[in-house]
Amino acid sequence: VVTRDDVEKSLIAMWQYVKDKEQLLEDLHSQIEETNQKISVKQREKDDCLEYKNVGSKIEAKKIMSLENDIKEVKDAFHRATEYYRNALKAMKEENIRLVSKHMDLVKEQAPENAVRYLDKDSCREIEENGWLKEEVKLYRKEVSDLKASIQLLEEENITLVAKLVDSRLEYLGV
């Protein structure tokens, strides 16, 4: 025998069961919506990554290649400048050696004249009165001044050339 109370309890239990199931269904719908949002976010991230892979990475690769080429050009310019300065230094050393050798030859030629200076007073007077020696001294002084002037001109020319080279290198490097 089923009583009214049993039916009401059964209906309440059914109603509670349906209400729980509806709540569970709502929770599942909200979880599904949340999961769909997460999926869409992940999909956008994936799309962004694919876009970077397909487009952005190529742009970055081009930039990297361009920078590598720039580095190579700078290194080449550096090596050329280094080689130029090495050759210029070598030429200047050879020029200095040549000038020193020439000067040493002049000093060797004048060594006897210097030795004459230590002679007795009478011999020194004779030498001082000798016009030929005076002319030689004048010629030597003139040659020394000419050498100094030519060295000065060479140094100025070298400085000008080095300045032009540095300026052209700086322009070439885009500095």
Side-chain angles (χ1 to χ4, degrees):
V1 176
V2 177
T3 65
R4 184 180 173 115
D5 286 341
D6 290 338
V7 171
E8 283 181 5
K9 284 182 184 179
S10 175
L11 281 175
I12 288 175
M14 281 295 275
W15 183 71
Q16 187 62 39
Y17 176 76
V18 169
K19 188 176 177 183
D20 289 343
K21 290 296 179 179
E22 285 177 355
Q23 182 63 40
L24 184 60
L25 187 62
E26 283 180 21
D27 290 344
L28 288 174
H29 279 297
S30 67
Q31 286 179 357
I32 289 171
E33 183 63 32
E34 195 175 299
T35 304
N36 283 338
Q37 287 176 354
K38 287 180 182 179
I39 288 172
S40 68
V41 167
K42 292 298 180 181
Q43 184 64 37
R44 276 184 294 213
E45 287 177 8
K46 178 185 168 189
D47 292 342
D48 290 343
C49 289
L50 287 175
E51 182 180 342
Y52 175 76
K53 179 183 173 187
N54 294 332
V55 177
S57 63
K58 291 179 183 176
I59 293 170
E60 295 298 323
K62 286 180 184 178
K63 286 182 183 177
I64 289 170
M65 293 291 283
S66 173
L67 290 174
E68 286 175 350
N69 288 338
D70 291 346
I71 289 170
K72 183 180 178 189
E73 288 175 8
V74 168
K75 283 183 179 180
D76 290 343
F78 173 74
H79 288 292
R80 284 193 301 271
T82 302
E83 189 63 30
Y84 171 80
Y85 286 122
R86 187 177 293 124
N87 291 338
L89 179 64
K90 184 179 177 182
M92 287 301 293
K93 283 182 179 179
E94 289 173 359
E95 180 69 18
N96 286 343
I97 289 171
R98 187 184 64 78
L99 290 174
V100 167
S101 175
K102 189 175 181 180
H103 180 69
M104 289 302 294
D105 291 341
L106 288 174
V107 169
K108 285 178 185 177
E109 289 175 8
Q110 291 180 351
E113 295 172 8
N114 291 336
V116 170
R117 290 183 189 161
Y118 296 107
L119 294 174
D120 61 313
K121 291 181 181 179
D122 293 331
S123 299
C124 287
R125 280 189 196 135
E126 289 177 16
I127 291 172
E128 288 174 1
E129 293 172 0
N130 190 340
W132 179 78
L133 287 176
K134 290 180 181 178
E135 289 298 320
E136 286 295 318
V137 168
K138 287 179 185 178
L139 290 174
Y140 170 75
R141 287 183 180 155
K142 184 179 184 313
E143 189 173 340
V144 167
S145 67
D146 290 345
L147 284 174
K148 285 181 181 179
S150 67
I151 288 172
Q152 178 75 22
L153 290 174
L154 286 173
E155 288 176 346
E156 290 173 4
E157 182 181 340
N158 189 27
I159 289 171
T160 304
L161 289 173
V162 168
K164 285 181 181 178
L165 176 68
V166 168
D167 289 342
S168 67
R169 294 294 180 210
L170 288 175
E171 288 176 14
Y172 177 74
L173 293 175
V175 175

